[in-house]
């Protein structure tokens, strides 16, 4: 029996048609796809040549994979003769774990997915309303290091300016503002945009990126940046949905619905790679979608969480307090790749998060967008995003923070 191990750095697709879209639809560089055709593995790759997106099929050699498999089986046969059964089993488990971890996710075999832009997106037959693509399954994250300029040049013809993108010939069901709180993550942000722009266009979404950077010195306040991003997006556009998105999370499945739901807050992250895709009970961070009414109903995020940790749990308390139902994407679909990184300088662990969480219900009505105070230093509009740089005075929030920490906060 001949065993062919699945490739750990490609996608699966059955589409090998050659498309000639509007110049600029194809991003710079190339992306690989793996196709099983006539019992043999083939490599399908896309290239950007004079603005043409075209797939080409080439034979993909599996001799190296087969050699690795033979070598592993030989090692196991030798261990079986000299070692106890439990040790052989342990080595086998370790080998399987090692092989799985060589890929971008530890699940085999990969699920078939479609190319990032399909023929229906390029030729929607003049539909007045977009038929939202439901997606086909798991996909590979493109972790290639890219610059802002490279991503902007690749997707400039698709955008209308100020970070706004929309399907070319149909009207999306919702207009979304995607708000990314930011500080000192210039390596991660272009990689996220390089994945998220084609991802959302394949779903036929109408969206605008808002990058909200903390310009003031001191400890990072992620929640305050998200509140400020909501207010600035409100001033600049009429949006149906506000999606708060961490800069270091990239979706691994094209069935994750980047949209708002009328009666439920939508939490899109069910499992993260750096936590080995374990279900995280009551976790509500990462990517969260609100309508305006829903976000105002919970008074936004708390402004008191200086440093890493606690603001997402606080939001869970606020939703529970108002009995606001939360739509959770299933763990089979809501999988995200996460960048490994050390603790950011200026974003230390928040050692007061437990005291703040203990009083979360008391201050929900007085701590949030109703108490928000910040100053916009600058606004930069480009093809990729609207970049808003804001600063705030921590002293404005000190009285409430101190009352929570010393236990003197009274019910409003």
């Amino acid at each position: 029996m001949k065993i062919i191990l699945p490739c750990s750095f490609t996608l699966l697709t059955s589409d090998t048609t050659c498309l000639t879209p509007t110049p600029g639809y194809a991003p710079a560089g190339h992306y690989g796809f793996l196709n099983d055709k006539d019992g043999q593995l083939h490599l399908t790759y896309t290239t950007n040549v004079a603005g043409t997106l075209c797939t080409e099929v080439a034979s993909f050699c599996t001799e190296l994979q087969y050699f690795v498999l033979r070598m592993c089986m030989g090692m196991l046969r030798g261990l079986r003769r000299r070692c106890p059964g439990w040790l052989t089993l342990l080595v086998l488990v370790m080998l399987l774990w090692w092989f799985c971890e060589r890929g971008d996710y530890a699940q085999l075999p990969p699920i078939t997915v479609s190319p990032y832009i399909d023929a229906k997106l390029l030729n929607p037959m003049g539909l007045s309303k977009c038929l939202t693509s439901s997606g086909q399954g798991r996909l590979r994250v493109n972790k290639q290091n890219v610059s802002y300029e490279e991503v902007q040049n690749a997707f400039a013809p698709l955008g209308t300016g100020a970070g706004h993108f929309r399907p070319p010939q149909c009207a999306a069901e919702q207009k979304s503002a995607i708000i990314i709180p930011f500080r000192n993550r210039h390596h991660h942000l272009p990689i996220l945009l390089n994945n998220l722009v084609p991802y959302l266009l394949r779903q036929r979404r109408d969206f605008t990126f808002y990058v909200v950077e903390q310009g003031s010195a001191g400890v990072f306040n992620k929640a305050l940046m998200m509140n400020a991003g909501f207010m600035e997006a409100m001033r600049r556009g009429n949006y149906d949905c506000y999606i708060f998105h961490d800069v270091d999370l990239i979706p691994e499945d094209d069935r994750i619905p980047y949209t708002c739901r009328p009666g439920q807050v939508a939490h899109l992250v069910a499992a993260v790679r750096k936590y080995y895709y374990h279900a995280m009970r009551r976790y509500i961070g990462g990517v969260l979608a609100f309508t305006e009414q829903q976000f105002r109903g919970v008074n936004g995020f708390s402004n008191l969480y200086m440093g890493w940790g606690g603001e997402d749990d606080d939001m869970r308390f606020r939703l529970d307090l108002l009995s606001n139902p939360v739509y959770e994407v299933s763990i089979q679909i809501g999988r995200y790749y996460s960048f490994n990184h050390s603790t950011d300088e200026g974003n230390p662990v928040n050692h007061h998060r437990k005291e703040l969480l203990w009083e979360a219900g008391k201050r929900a009505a007085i701590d949030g967008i109703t108490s928000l105070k910040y100053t916009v230093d600058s606004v930069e509009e480009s093809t990729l995003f609207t970049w808003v740089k804001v600063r705030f005075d921590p002293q404005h929030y000190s009285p409430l923070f101190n009352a929570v920490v010393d236990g003197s906060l009274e019910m409003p």
Side-chain angles (χ1 to χ4, degrees):
M1 179 178 67
K2 184 176 181 180
I3 300 176
I4 299 179
L5 301 180
C7 180
S8 63
F9 50 84
T10 56
L11 294 172
L12 289 175
T13 182
S14 57
D15 192 333
T16 58
T17 58
C18 183
L19 306 176
T20 308
T22 304
Y25 268 89
H30 65 276
Y31 299 85
F33 305 95
L34 192 64
N35 185 22
D36 189 350
K37 183 178 181 182
D38 301 326
Q40 296 180 345
L41 291 176
H42 298 267
L43 180 66
T44 304
Y45 57 94
T46 64
T47 56
N48 182 11
V49 181
T52 299
L53 174 64
C54 184
T55 57
E56 303 177 19
V57 180
S59 296
F60 185 76
C61 178
T62 62
E63 292 180 0
L64 180 59
Q65 292 176 319
Y66 188 65
F67 171 77
V68 172
L69 178 64
R70 289 287 301 273
M71 187 169 63
C72 292
M73 295 304 293
M75 291 172 59
L76 287 175
R77 280 195 294 268
L79 284 171
R80 190 173 58 185
R81 297 191 189 98
R82 298 176 177 83
C83 301
W86 65 267
L87 183 57
T88 302
L89 179 61
L90 178 63
V91 173
L92 177 60
V93 169
M94 292 177 65
L95 286 172
L96 288 174
W97 175 85
W98 174 84
F99 178 75
C100 290
E101 285 299 296
R102 303 308 295 171
D104 288 335
Y105 59 90
Q107 177 162 331
L108 300 175
I111 301 172
T112 301
V113 300
S114 59
Y116 79 100
I117 291 180
D118 56 23
K120 292 181 181 178
L121 177 60
L122 300 175
N123 183 23
M125 299 178 291
L127 296 176
S128 59
K129 187 175 182 179
C130 292
L131 300 176
T132 303
S133 173
S134 59
Q136 297 185 34
R138 202 68 47 76
L139 52 80
R140 296 285 181 178
V141 171
N142 177 13
K143 296 176 289 184
Q144 178 184 1
N145 291 328
V146 290
S147 65
Y148 291 114
E149 291 74 20
E150 289 173 317
V151 181
Q152 180 161 302
N153 292 338
F155 298 119
L158 301 179
T160 63
H164 179 225
F165 296 84
R166 66 185 180 194
Q169 297 178 11
C170 61
E173 183 180 0
Q174 294 182 352
K175 290 183 64 177
S176 299
I178 300 179
I179 299 165
I180 305 172
F182 180 90
R183 188 162 78 167
N184 299 331
R185 292 291 191 90
H186 291 287
H187 173 67
H188 294 156
L189 182 57
I191 300 176
L192 171 66
L193 297 175
N194 197 34
N195 283 271
L196 210 50
V197 171
Y199 180 96
L200 294 173
L201 286 176
R202 184 171 62 246
Q203 289 192 358
R204 300 176 179 89
R205 307 294 184 191
D206 186 319
F207 56 98
T208 303
F209 289 114
Y210 287 89
V211 180
V212 188
E213 180 184 11
Q214 178 174 321
S216 51
V219 179
F220 185 50
N221 191 325
K222 174 185 171 184
L224 196 151
M225 293 301 105
M226 291 190 282
N227 284 341
F230 170 78
M231 299 304 295
E232 293 305 310
M234 283 277 300
R235 292 191 180 99
R236 288 171 168 76
N238 183 21
Y239 299 104
D240 306 296
C241 186
Y242 297 84
I243 301 176
F244 300 91
H245 205 298
D246 283 3
V247 71
D248 58 353
L249 291 180
I250 300 177
E252 292 185 340
D253 195 299
D254 65 354
R255 295 170 294 179
I256 301 173
Y258 270 69
T259 185
C260 283
R261 304 169 71 89
Q264 297 171 298
V265 173
H267 181 222
L268 308 186
V269 181
V272 179
R273 184 179 187 269
K274 70 178 180 180
Y275 300 127
Y276 305 101
Y277 302 109
H278 293 161
M280 293 174 284
R281 186 173 178 269
R282 295 185 57 79
Y283 169 71
I284 201 166
V287 185
L288 202 56
F290 293 85
T291 64
E292 178 187 351
Q293 182 181 8
Q294 290 165 349
F295 196 68
R296 289 190 180 277
V298 296
N299 198 21
F301 291 90
S302 167
N303 297 312
L304 302 186
Y305 289 86
M306 302 287 185
W308 182 89
E311 71 281 346
D312 299 327
D313 298 314
D314 190 286
M315 176 55 72
R316 170 63 79 175
F317 278 116
R318 292 175 181 234
L319 294 170
D320 291 346
L321 183 66
L322 297 174
S323 299
N324 200 325
V326 178
Y327 168 74
E328 301 277 1
V329 177
S330 71
I331 195 170
Q332 291 80 17
I333 294 177
R335 295 160 65 100
Y336 279 75
Y337 177 85
S338 55
F339 293 103
N340 293 321
H341 58 86
S342 57
T343 303
D344 294 339
E345 185 176 345
N347 190 29
V349 173
N350 183 354
H351 295 292
H352 294 290
R353 64 186 185 278
K354 291 184 180 180
E355 296 98 315
L356 292 168
L357 288 172
W358 186 258
E359 303 286 355
K362 284 185 178 182
R363 66 174 197 284
I366 59 173
D367 171 26
I369 55 177
T370 55
S371 63
L372 180 65
K373 187 176 181 180
Y374 65 94
T375 302
V376 176
D377 281 344
S378 62
V379 178
E380 175 192 344
E381 295 182 351
S382 71
T383 302
L384 286 179
F385 39 66
T386 295
W387 193 296
V388 184
K389 192 170 185 178
V390 305
R391 57 184 169 87
F392 64 93
D393 183 4
Q395 296 301 317
H396 173 71
Y397 304 98
S398 294
L400 182 57
F401 177 84
N402 293 332
V404 172
V405 172
D406 63 24
S408 62
L409 179 66
E410 299 293 335
M411 288 291 289

